[in-house]
Amino acid sequence: MESLKELDQNLFEKFIEIKADPIVGSLEPGIYAGYFDWKDCLIPTGVRNYLKEALVSMIAVHAEVFSISKQLVPQVMSRVVEAVGEELCRLMQCVSSFSRHGALQARLEICALKDAVSIFLTDEIRGTFDQALEAIPQLSNGSDKKLLEQLLNEFKSSMHLQLVCFQSSCNYEKKT
């Protein structure tokens, strides 16, 4: 029995690695595509494509696991979200400085991801997202905060159909 449990755990870890690594690996090149620089970026107009692509990849993992065993969805997705959150946190902590607009763009993207996958957040993963946000300067004025809220709402509205699978708590229980 002990050998079977160990084999099960090893297979699970390998599965998570196979599913999470491509998503995690796409984040840094996606963030910096087109010579993007946090110190010199334009006023944000929305969540950038790299994050939407990461979410679509996470949706594909969700769909694959759900089609096999909906009971495994929280366990698998929490681990995938954890890997993605840790990488975004690392990337935010590596930024030497942010412009005002860079800070707004970074906050927008971290908050958008955190909100989208909130059903899979454990206390540990929440802490990782909080660390990422702590690495980004606070928004200094009301107009920036209002723009952040507006852009988050636009993201949620435009991606609503895609993100429904992450909101359906009736299909599986939330992992805490």
Side-chain angles (χ1 to χ4, degrees):
M1 283 305 285
E2 193 61 38
S3 293
L4 284 175
K5 286 181 184 178
E6 186 177 327
L7 177 61
D8 180 60
Q9 186 60 35
N10 289 340
L11 288 172
F12 180 76
E13 293 298 327
K14 193 65 173 170
F15 180 78
I16 296 299
E17 183 180 320
I18 289 168
K19 295 303 175 185
D21 282 1
I23 301 169
V24 168
S26 72
L27 294 175
E28 189 168 8
I31 286 174
Y32 294 109
Y35 302 103
F36 180 83
D37 187 348
W38 295 109
K39 291 182 278 193
D40 184 34
C41 75
L42 301 172
I43 189 164
T45 58
V47 171
R48 292 181 296 150
N49 287 338
Y50 82 92
L51 189 64
K52 293 175 185 176
E53 290 168 8
L55 280 165
V56 169
S57 296
M58 293 168 74
I59 291 166
V61 172
H62 179 283
E64 182 179 346
V65 174
F66 189 87
S67 71
I68 297 165
S69 171
K70 66 182 180 181
Q71 290 79 17
L72 286 176
V73 169
Q75 184 181 5
V76 170
M77 291 307 299
S78 289
R79 293 290 303 279
V80 171
V81 169
E82 177 182 22
V84 170
E86 286 174 354
E87 179 65 2
L88 276 177
C89 181
R90 182 191 73 76
L91 291 169
M92 292 301 115
Q93 290 172 338
C94 289
V95 176
S96 58
S97 68
F98 291 89
S99 68
R100 180 177 145 228
H101 293 146
L104 180 55
Q105 186 73 53
R107 284 191 171 278
L108 170 63
E109 291 169 359
I110 299 294
C111 290
L113 177 62
K114 185 179 176 184
D115 288 353
V117 297
S118 63
I119 193 168
F120 303 115
L121 296 180
T122 63
D123 289 340
E124 184 178 338
I125 301 168
R126 260 187 211 87
T128 301
F129 278 98
D130 291 344
Q131 285 177 10
L133 289 169
E134 287 169 12
I136 304 165
Q138 293 291 325
L139 300 181
S140 57
N141 64 49
S143 64
D144 286 350
K145 292 175 185 175
K146 186 175 181 178
L147 180 58
L148 174 66
E149 187 176 325
Q150 175 191 339
L151 293 173
L152 273 173
N153 287 335
E154 287 174 10
F155 168 76
K156 289 175 191 176
S157 176
S158 69
M159 293 284 292
H160 177 74
L161 183 61
Q162 292 88 342
L163 299 177
V164 165
C165 67
F166 293 155
Q167 300 167 355
S168 183
S169 61
C170 61
N171 291 326
Y172 40 80
E173 290 194 18
K174 183 177 179 180
K175 181 179 178 179
T176 56

